[in-house]
Amino acid sequence: MTGHAASREHIIALSGGVGGAKLALGLARIMPSESLTIIANTADDFVHFGLHISPDIDTVLYTLADLANPETGWGRRGETWEFMGAMGGLGGETWFNLGDRDLALHVLRTNKLNQGATLSDVTAEMAHVMGIHVDVMPMSNDPVRTMVRTGDGLLPFQHYFVRDRCEPSVTGFYFDGIDGARPHPKLMRHLISRDLGAIIICPSNPFVSVDPILQLNGVRNVLKETSAPIVAVSPIIGGRAIKGPAAKMMKELGMPVSALGVAGFYKDLVDGFVIDEEDEASAAEIEALGMSVLITRTFMQSLEDREALAAATLEFAASLGKH
Ligand code: GDP
């Protein structure tokens, strides 16, 4: 993996949880660690039993540290559930699963936040102890909370996502706190830096994982101004989401449930869009939206798949050059 712009220029990857973390791992494995910054969505964060839980940051950290549970897509591998069992036995809420090992991170984070640390301080510290060498940062240190507009009313994201298993029909989203939230200062510094090589929008849920980052004050404007290429990888393959409610949300929002639909969502922002071989037939229509298209395998099953998609995406971005 030599010769692409990534070895000289800084890459910013915008990530949610499971899909984003897969590509982030691929990027981290093929790039010099000082050249990559992963920005994690924090609009899924919530407080449960008084604990500050950051699901997307944790999925990224666990994935990069090779601690993640590949079956669930969240939490840690080899987890035990004594705490949850005891909680249920006491009549406490059990709809949000907290494994024993995972719990240690939430307790430690909450404790550090209560002592005055910022979320990015804690994230950096946890990344360090987990042996992660790339920068992982929350999109903001200020609270932003996704609220899901549904046929059943307005639901906090985790109630919709976990408690109600994404069953309510979605009509829209609202990011509570977004107006007052400051994007992470290092994110803004990287975005205006001359060293910026590309911005990669990972194959994450466009509505609830990526949009909160894009809606932070100033981010969209800086992205529109930047001369660095912006490339998104489609989380939709053959009209389906690999995991999670992205496809269901698109249908309920009246959008085409396809890579084309995702490309339409990002069309004002991206220079390049990566689609799966399965979606080759829609390349021309996506190009007609005003972006270049790369067709490759985007389903990441193995570690090699993650590295190959990361390399192809970086090379594609480098080929788009400055605009
Ligand atoms: P969440 O916050 O845990 O829901 O995670 P993300 O928003 O990062 O990821 C959810 C999205 O990742 C879904 O829309 C999936 O379709 C997508 N995804 C998961 N695995 C893959 C994969 O291997 N390839 C691609 N292209 N998308 C994937």
Side-chain angles (χ1 to χ4, degrees):
M1 310 304 150
T2 54
H4 52 63
S7 54
R8 285 174 282 113
E9 297 183 309
H10 206 87
I11 301 295
I12 297 285
L14 309 183
S15 176
V18 57
K22 281 175 159 182
L23 185 62
L25 175 62
L27 290 166
R29 287 180 59 90
I30 65 163
M31 286 183 58
S33 49
E34 68 280 6
S35 301
L36 176 64
T37 298
I38 299 161
I39 303 295
N41 169 45
T42 55
D44 294 5
D45 288 21
F46 78 129
V47 174
H48 192 50
F49 298 129
L51 301 173
H52 183 111
I53 299 176
S54 296
D56 287 353
I57 291 178
D58 295 350
T59 298
V60 169
L61 292 178
Y62 290 153
T63 301
L64 293 178
D66 195 22
L67 296 171
N69 181 336
E71 273 90 53
T72 52
W74 52 266
R76 289 181 63 152
R77 205 171 43 229
E79 192 55 281
T80 55
W81 303 96
E82 293 294 323
F83 168 80
M84 238 34 247
M87 181 59 82
L90 294 172
E93 287 180 21
T94 54
W95 60 269
F96 194 86
N97 276 310
L98 292 166
D100 301 327
R101 293 181 172 90
D102 189 32
L103 187 61
L105 177 53
H106 308 313
V107 170
L108 193 57
R109 170 190 294 124
T110 305
N111 192 41
K112 286 175 186 290
L113 291 174
N114 289 342
Q115 288 170 352
T118 63
L119 186 57
S120 57
D121 293 339
V122 184
T123 306
E125 208 179 320
M126 294 301 106
H128 179 73
V129 295
M130 289 183 196
I132 296 166
H133 300 296
V134 299
D135 250 350
V136 180
M137 289 193 281
M139 66 182 200
S140 172
N141 281 318
D142 301 319
V144 178
R145 299 291 174 258
T146 296
M147 302 293 291
V148 186
R149 293 196 170 96
T150 76
D152 301 351
L154 198 61
L155 291 172
F157 181 74
Q158 297 298 344
H159 286 106
Y160 161 80
F161 192 68
V162 180
R163 191 195 64 189
D164 298 349
R165 297 178 300 276
C166 308
E167 280 162 12
S169 183
V170 164
T171 56
F173 306 94
Y174 162 63
F175 305 121
D176 195 20
I178 196 89
D179 292 340
R182 289 154 301 179
H184 195 295
K186 266 169 102 179
L187 166 63
M188 297 311 266
R189 275 209 295 281
H190 280 306
L191 291 181
I192 58 171
S193 156
R194 287 166 156 269
D195 290 339
L196 184 64
I199 297 117
I200 310 289
I201 301 179
C202 290
S204 287
N205 186 308
F207 314 107
V208 294
S209 293
V210 179
D211 207 29
I213 309 177
L214 301 179
Q215 285 205 26
L216 283 166
N217 269 310
V219 168
R220 218 169 232 283
N221 284 347
V222 175
L223 289 177
K224 284 199 168 151
E225 294 293 309
T226 183
S227 57
I230 305 175
V231 171
V233 180
S234 178
I236 299 290
I237 300 176
R240 293 176 305 278
I242 307 295
K243 205 172 189 350
K248 181 175 180 282
M249 286 174 174
M250 292 177 88
K251 183 161 177 262
E252 290 164 358
L253 294 170
M255 297 168 64
V257 186
S258 61
L260 175 64
V262 179
F265 186 76
Y266 289 135
K267 75 171 186 304
D268 294 339
L269 213 56
V270 306
D271 306 293
F273 196 65
V274 183
I275 62 171
D276 196 80
E277 287 155 353
E278 207 180 309
D279 296 311
E280 191 173 355
S282 50
E285 264 182 294
I286 295 173
E287 276 166 353
L289 295 173
M291 59 186 82
S292 300
V293 173
L294 172 70
I295 304 164
T296 188
R297 177 183 159 87
T298 68
F299 183 32
M300 295 171 278
Q301 284 178 298
S302 65
L303 199 50
E304 291 70 33
D305 291 338
R306 288 159 173 74
E307 292 177 1
L309 181 58
T313 303
L314 288 177
E315 265 159 40
F316 178 48
S319 79
L320 299 173
K322 307 284 181 187
H323 63 89

